[in-house]
Amino acid sequence: MIDQLNRYVLRFFLVILFQVLVLNNVQLSGYINPYFYIWYILVLPFDTPGWVLLLTAFFLGLGVDAFPQGIAGNGSTLGTHTAATVLIAFLRPAILRRINPREEYAPGTFPDSKNYGILWFLSYALIMIGIHHFVLFFLEDLSLRDFLRTLLRVILSGCFTLVIMLIWEGVRFRVSR
């Protein structure tokens, strides 16, 4: 139990560091900004209590918000990542119920591509990334004036984030074999 907790805490900090030190410096034309850090929320165990999920999402988002956003310095205001991450953590149980491939998820499993297949993970991640990015980018702009530009950012950044997650899922399970 303690060993598993240590693994989650280490993974938590590594995901934040990867996001703020590497991915926040990837900004292509202001349209593609990968936000891999939400993967941490996506793959927490099914039986994670709601309060733990929300608290974890809060500190994960706050950890990303606390750092300057990349080399260009054009980032979000404090709280945007936190709000978007807490929202997907709040919606996660309902979304998992909606896309349930069976009667119930098997106890002791995780919502990842290894346990439920790549197509299931693809649809799950796409929904969660879409919600997160939509909220994040519209909170950043706080306007519907550039709706199409913001929507394009949501789509392009979402696709790029999804590709990084799928690559990571592939690497993660190849290494664990």
Side-chain angles (χ1 to χ4, degrees), residues 15 29 51 65 82-83 94 117 142 145 151-152 155 159-160:
V15 165
S29 303
W51 68 271
D65 275 331
T82 305
L142 284 177
R145 189 180 73 240
L151 191 59
L152 184 60
I155 293 167
C159 289
F160 198 66

Side-chain angles (χ1 to χ4, degrees), residues 136-153:
L136 177 71
F137 290 130
F138 277 99
L139 280 176
E140 278 182 359
D141 288 347
L142 284 177
S143 165
L144 294 177
R145 189 180 73 240
D146 291 327
F147 180 79
L148 292 178
R149 180 185 174 282
T150 305
L151 191 59
L152 184 60
R153 286 179 66 201

